[in-house]
Amino acid sequence: MGRIVLVCGMPGAGKTTLARALVAELDAVHLCPDEWLVPLGIDPHDARRRDRFERLQWRHGLRLAELGLTVVVDFGLWSRVERRRLREQARAIGADVELRVLDVPLAERWRRVAARNAEPGAVVISREQLVDYERWWQPPDAAERAAYDAPVRRSGAGTSGPNAVP
Ligand SMILES: Nc1ncnc2c1ncn2[C@@H]1O[C@H](COP(=O)(O)OP(=O)(O)OP(=O)(O)O)[C@@H](O)[C@H]1O
Ligand SMILES: [Mg+2]
């Protein structure tokens, strides 16, 4: 059975950066809505379409996990109820599910987003949007974190795989 890694955090927290590193480390599949919505010409700020797209992508991710793959989910996952829905659906198919939390202060996230906004092809987020989104952020508490499986890493001492220390 596969593994699902939920990456949660507000814009600019570094989710996509972390997800790409995990994908390389774990030979995983990256579910990143922006990477599909933008080439399809769909406004990534269109909440209704984004939500529908994420639900389709999530179903696809569950199927990949059923086939034994590791899937890194880069959806934001700002709310507790959304994280719980994904966790329960992942468990229902027998997948392991882990949570990675990036809780970065607004000032630092705005510094990062402002720099990223200047890059060609960036999904531009204004400071007003970033501030407006704050009210939706529900950082996972200790009880919620305890509901997830511990991370499994291929590299480093004590993990399984070709680099494992016996
Ligand atoms: N730990 C870090 N320290 C400094 N800069 C970082 C760090 N992680 C990511 N960045 C930079 O900050 C910017 C935002 O990171 P990233 O795109 O990964 O965030 P995100 O959480 O995916 O944001 P969004 O929700 O808007 O997609 C990028 O330009 C990235 O290079
Ligand atoms: Mg991102």
Side-chain angles (χ1 to χ4, degrees):
M1 182 44 69
R3 169 168 287 256
I4 290 184
V5 183
L6 303 180
V7 181
C8 89
M10 297 300 280
K15 298 179 299 295
T16 300
T17 303
L18 173 64
R20 287 181 178 145
L22 291 171
V23 159
E25 183 185 349
L26 304 173
D27 290 335
V29 179
H30 187 186
L31 300 189
C32 183
D34 288 343
E35 286 181 355
W36 288 69
L37 293 170
V38 173
L40 287 167
I42 297 168
D43 175 6
H45 294 303
D46 180 335
R48 192 179 60 88
R49 288 182 156 189
R50 187 181 185 91
D51 188 58
R52 284 165 61 178
F53 180 82
E54 285 185 1
R55 283 173 187 268
L56 284 173
Q57 212 180 30
W58 170 244
R59 279 219 310 259
H60 183 57
L62 284 177
R63 180 66 190 133
L64 296 175
E66 271 181 336
L67 294 171
L69 297 174
T70 300
V71 179
V72 179
V73 179
D74 185 1
F75 287 180
L77 302 174
W78 304 346
S79 81
R80 198 170 296 116
V81 65
E82 193 183 6
R83 294 188 295 266
R84 187 176 66 212
R85 178 172 66 81
L86 269 49
R87 184 177 72 241
E88 288 177 352
Q89 291 180 4
R91 288 262 163 74
I93 62 154
D96 289 337
V97 53
E98 73 180 79
L99 179 69
R100 300 288 300 236
V101 183
L102 295 168
D103 196 3
V104 178
L106 175 65
E108 171 61 17
R109 287 188 291 108
W110 172 241
R111 269 193 291 278
R112 296 179 188 179
V113 168
R116 191 183 62 186
N117 282 346
E119 292 173 8
V123 174
V124 172
I125 301 176
S126 69
R127 188 163 200 290
E128 290 67 32
Q129 283 173 312
L130 210 59
V131 170
D132 182 51
Y133 296 152
E134 289 301 279
R135 61 201 155 113
W136 302 109
W137 176 230
Q138 297 179 326
D141 59 16
E144 185 184 345
R145 289 175 195 241
Y148 289 86
D149 294 294
V152 169
R153 292 291 169 264
R154 285 226 185 105
S155 53
T159 56
S160 61
N163 299 323
V165 175

